[in-house]
């Protein structure tokens, strides 16, 4: 397995762009030795595995952010397909439960360069009342904690979390657990629709393993320059 002690580039650029052409154009302006790329549901639904393969050919490692959530057999098969595609990281919803996560971990375990397998605990878009409405009544922090513990106990590599949750999770779950944090904004850049943001340097200081950064890079006049500046901030 690829070890967290040699994590490679810590910046993961969220390629939330509507077309394959735009995604490739952005990739041409970025250096794969400084970042990985995150491909989400929109890009994947439009452009499919071919886009992932094209980006991998250009030297980028890919976080396939499809947040699988289904019965164990289906999620395991999807994770195996992601491993066959050669992605660096893939994710599932922790609320799919222990058996689903164990099946996913088992499905990728035999691959020589297996993807890191991480879980989303609670979507950060959900407010406390909305969380309660869907039946999670223990409160946000307790639920995130509970699902992070379950993720680790189920044999996964880590979770997606807010940089504001990273320090506590790092303390509870140890140095080897992967923490992937969106909601990162370089000083002076637009907050967009994110709420609880943190600078790249602070997020790493709180224990984040990888930083997901989208619009500050993808919408910049010079994406490469912003990427370089973030990379130099966190060395
Ligand atoms: O453009 P921005 O830096 O806000 O992009 C952040 C990326 O991380 C987006 O792809 C967004 O969907 C994703 N994300 C997030 N918050 C989460 C989980 C994922 O912002 N809790």
């Amino acid at each position: 397995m690829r070890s967290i002690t040699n994590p490679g580039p810590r910046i993961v650029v969220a390629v939330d762009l509507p077309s394959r052409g735009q995604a490739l154009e952005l990739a041409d302006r970025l250096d794969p030795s400084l970042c990985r790329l995150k491909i989400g549901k929109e890009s994947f639904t439009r452009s499919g595995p071919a886009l992932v393969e094209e980006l991998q050919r250009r030297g980028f490692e890919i976080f396939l952010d499809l947040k699988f959530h289904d019965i164990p057999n289906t999620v395991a098969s999807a994770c195996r397909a992601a491993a066959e595609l050669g992605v660096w990281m893939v994710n599932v919803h922790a609320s799919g439960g222990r058996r689903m996560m164990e099946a996913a971990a088992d499905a990728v375990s035999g691959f020589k360069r297996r993807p890191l397998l991480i879980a989303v605990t609670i979507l950060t878009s959900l407010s406390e009342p909305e969380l309660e409405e869907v039946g999670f009544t223990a409160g946000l922090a307790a639920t995130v904690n509970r699902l992070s513990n379950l993720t680790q106990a189920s044999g996964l590599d880590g979770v997606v979390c807010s940089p504001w949750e990273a320090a506590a999770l790092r303390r509870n779950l140890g140095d080897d657990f992967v923490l992937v944090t969106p909601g990162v904004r370089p000083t002076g850049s637009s907050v967009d629709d994110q709420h609880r943001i943190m600078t790249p340097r602070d997020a790493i200081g709180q224990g984040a393993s990888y930083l997901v950064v989208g619009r500050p890079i993808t919408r910049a006049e010079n994406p490469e320059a912003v990427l370089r500046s973030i990379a130099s901030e966190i060395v």
Side-chain angles (χ1 to χ4, degrees):
M1 125 182 213
R2 285 168 256 197
S3 159
I4 188 65
T5 55
N6 179 19
R10 288 178 184 272
I11 302 166
V12 183
V13 178
V15 184
D16 297 321
L17 297 169
S19 76
R20 174 179 180 275
Q22 282 168 288
L24 294 178
E25 210 172 288
L26 172 70
D28 282 342
R29 304 184 67 183
L30 298 174
D31 178 350
S33 74
L34 293 182
C35 68
R36 271 109 173 186
L37 301 179
K38 180 171 88 67
I39 295 295
K41 288 188 172 89
E42 183 188 3
S43 291
F44 195 77
T45 303
R46 284 186 196 282
S47 309
L51 174 62
V52 172
E53 284 167 336
E54 181 60 43
L55 293 169
Q56 289 179 153
R57 265 196 298 279
R58 293 173 190 218
F60 291 95
E61 293 196 306
I62 303 298
F63 171 13
L64 190 62
D65 179 19
L66 298 182
K67 301 186 183 70
F68 297 132
H69 189 178
D70 210 312
I71 59 172
N73 183 59
T74 300
V75 168
S77 303
C79 288
R80 195 172 301 115
E84 284 164 5
L85 190 55
V87 303
W88 160 71
M89 177 179 278
V90 62
N91 59 0
V92 302
H93 270 284
S95 53
R98 182 190 291 268
R99 273 194 306 114
M100 188 204 80
M101 288 195 279
E102 284 177 348
D106 189 49
V108 300
S109 66
F111 286 80
K112 203 158 150 220
R113 271 168 56 86
R114 77 163 177 85
L116 289 171
L117 182 59
I118 60 166
V120 173
T121 54
I122 294 297
L123 293 169
T124 47
S125 52
L126 286 176
S127 65
E128 293 260 6
E130 286 173 319
L131 197 61
E132 205 167 322
E133 195 175 28
V134 293
F136 290 93
T137 53
L140 182 58
T143 308
V144 166
N145 246 332
R146 187 187 185 95
L147 289 173
S148 300
N149 285 327
L150 181 63
T151 298
Q152 189 174 51
S154 304
L156 271 63
D157 299 294
V159 291
V160 181
C161 66
S162 156
W164 294 90
E165 293 159 358
L169 292 175
R170 176 63 66 222
R171 260 194 315 278
N172 294 343
L173 300 165
D175 287 343
D176 292 336
F177 204 59
V178 173
L179 301 179
V180 180
T181 61
V184 175
R185 288 291 180 269
T187 317
S189 86
S190 165
V191 168
D192 303 309
D193 54 356
Q194 294 284 5
H195 292 295
R196 299 163 67 223
I197 57 161
M198 204 180 268
T199 65
R201 188 200 295 262
D202 288 345
I204 293 287
Q206 294 294 303
S209 318
Y210 299 105
L211 311 177
V212 174
V213 188
R215 289 161 288 181
I217 292 174
T218 60
R219 295 205 180 156
E221 205 134 292
N222 186 345
E224 177 79 48
V226 178
L227 173 60
R228 276 191 195 291
S229 131
I230 299 176
S232 65
E233 190 185 317
I234 59 174
V235 274

